[in-house]
């Protein structure tokens, strides 16, 4: 999968290109991450990418032209790398507080693209005419205020890259995780068996795989009920899970 990032701080993306599972995916060529700095597409001596807003007010606004040039360069590179540049296959995505809030369903959809061009804003925002002409959709990562779109772009890339076939070490379907099955994760324990005078739950040492699966599911359910009643509301237990919940005395009325 191809990622172009349009950012005045392209060096920030070392965090995702060089470390951990995403770093390995980049090294192995499963993903290509390429930065385009709008400053490189300016024509003035100061390499200005921002200007004062028409109508007044605080802060600065990113100018359209350098961003348009950077997007054009990104599309040319995407094409040269065999990525179809149609919005259907390689959309321009603006990371924006006004965007649709990112969730695992959207991540899974986005993992189907050939690539994407991620537009990262700084300052107060971007000239609306650039957005209207070039942006296919907008994504927010949540309702809190950040200083720019780079960290949200990396959050999006990380969540998409780990859904690509062959990126996670083991069989992906075998990797149990929160949100995929709609519940929070169970607690995890490793060596030593006693730490700070606290022993691990005995069932985990039993070697009884069915009992362990049951214990883990009940833990997931209990945590989800307390911490994320919204997720519990949307969860439909299987027959087996219903039996486990009844046995554990977990109330089912929602
Ligand atoms: C005065 C109005 N500004 C501050 C409230 C608006 C504003 C502009 C630019 C707020 C944040 C930003 C920078 N943030 C992003 O570019 C951003 C973001 C975020 O701040 N939170 C969650 N998701 C995202 S995606 C991009």
């Amino acid at each position: 999968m191809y990622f172009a990032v349009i950012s005045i701080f392209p060096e920030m993306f070392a965090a995702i290109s060089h470390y951990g599972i995403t770093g390995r995916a980049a090294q192995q060529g499963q993903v290509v991450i390429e930065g385009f700095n709008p400053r490189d597409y300016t024509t003035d001596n100061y390499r200005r990418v921002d200007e004062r807003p028409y109508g007044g007010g605080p802060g600065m606004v990113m100018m359209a032209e350098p961003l348009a040039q950077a997007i054009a360069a990104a599309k040319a590179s995407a094409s040269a790398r065999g990525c179809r540049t149609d919005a259907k296959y390689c959309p321009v995505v603006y990371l924006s507080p006004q965007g649709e809030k990112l969730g695992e369903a959207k991540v899974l959809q986005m993992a189907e693209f050939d690539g994407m061009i991620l537009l990262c804003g700084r300052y107060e925002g971007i000239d609306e005419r650039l957005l209207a002409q070039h942006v296919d959709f907008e994504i927010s990562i949540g309702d809190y205020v950040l200083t720019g779109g780079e960290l949200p772009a990396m959050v999006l890339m990380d969540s998409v890259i780990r859904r690509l076939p062959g990126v996670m070490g083991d069989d992906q379907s075998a990797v149990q995780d929160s949100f995929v099955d709609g519940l929070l994760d169970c607690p995890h324990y490793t060596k030593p068996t006693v730490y700070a005078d606290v022993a691990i739950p005995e069932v985990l040492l039993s070697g009884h795989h069915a009992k362990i699966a049951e214990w883990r599911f009940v833990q997931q359910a209990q945590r989800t009920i307390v911490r994320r009643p919204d997720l519990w509301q949307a969860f439909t237990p299987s027959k087996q899970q219903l039996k486990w919940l009844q046995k554990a005395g977990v109330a089912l009325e929602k």
Side-chain angles (χ1 to χ4, degrees), residues 95-98 121 123-125 139-149 152:
L95 288 307
S96 149
Q98 283 77 47
Y123 316 108
E124 284 310 302
I139 294 287
S140 161
I141 62 163
D143 296 336
Y144 37 83
V145 182
L146 303 172
T147 57

Side-chain angles (χ1 to χ4, degrees), residues 13-210:
F13 292 84
I16 195 160
S17 322
H18 297 336
Y19 299 93
I21 287 167
T22 55
R24 184 181 63 198
Q27 201 170 30
Q28 293 178 345
Q30 291 158 301
V31 303
V32 172
I33 302 169
E34 195 179 13
F36 294 86
N37 191 338
R39 266 192 220 293
D40 294 339
Y41 302 92
T42 54
T43 51
D44 68 309
N45 288 334
Y46 306 97
R47 292 167 44 96
R48 284 206 77 95
V49 295
D50 61 312
E51 269 296 353
R52 292 153 70 191
Y54 281 121
M60 302 296 274
V61 175
M62 294 182 89
M63 291 187 288
E65 193 56 37
L67 292 174
Q69 299 283 338
I71 291 168
K75 286 193 174 176
S77 180
S79 181
R81 293 164 190 278
C83 177
R84 295 167 289 184
T85 55
D86 195 299
K88 249 180 78 181
Y89 304 110
C90 188
V92 175
V93 180
Y94 175 36
L95 288 307
S96 149
Q98 283 77 47
E100 174 190 341
K101 200 186 291 180
L102 188 62
E104 196 66 22
K106 189 75 184 175
V107 168
L108 220 48
Q109 274 182 28
M110 295 184 78
E112 298 293 324
F113 292 133
D114 289 0
M116 59 192 89
I117 296 169
L118 300 174
L119 179 56
C120 305
R122 283 272 151 178
Y123 316 108
E124 284 310 302
I126 296 177
D127 189 304
E128 188 66 23
R129 296 165 295 182
L130 180 286
L131 300 178
Q133 252 191 61
H134 293 282
V135 171
D136 297 307
F137 56 92
E138 301 190 21
I139 294 287
S140 161
I141 62 163
D143 296 336
Y144 37 83
V145 182
L146 303 172
T147 57
E150 285 80 4
L151 288 170
M154 284 189 263
V155 167
L156 173 58
M157 292 164 79
D158 188 279
S159 64
V160 169
I161 291 168
R162 67 180 292 287
R163 304 309 308 232
L164 299 177
V167 164
M168 301 300 287
D170 297 308
D171 176 17
Q172 269 191 309
S173 61
V175 179
Q176 281 277 329
D177 73 276
S178 176
F179 301 115
V180 173
D181 66 2
L183 296 180
L184 299 185
D185 209 354
C186 61
H188 301 284
Y189 298 91
T190 187
K191 286 188 196 178
T193 55
V194 178
Y195 171 73
D197 283 336
V198 182
I200 67 172
E202 217 170 320
V203 63
L204 298 178
L205 294 174
S206 69
H208 194 309
H209 298 297

Side-chain angles (χ1 to χ4, degrees), residues 203 208-220 244:
V203 63
H208 194 309
H209 298 297
K211 276 192 181 159
I212 291 169
E214 175 179 351
W215 179 85
R216 285 180 170 158
F217 172 73
V218 171
Q219 291 291 314
Q220 284 190 280
W244 287 343

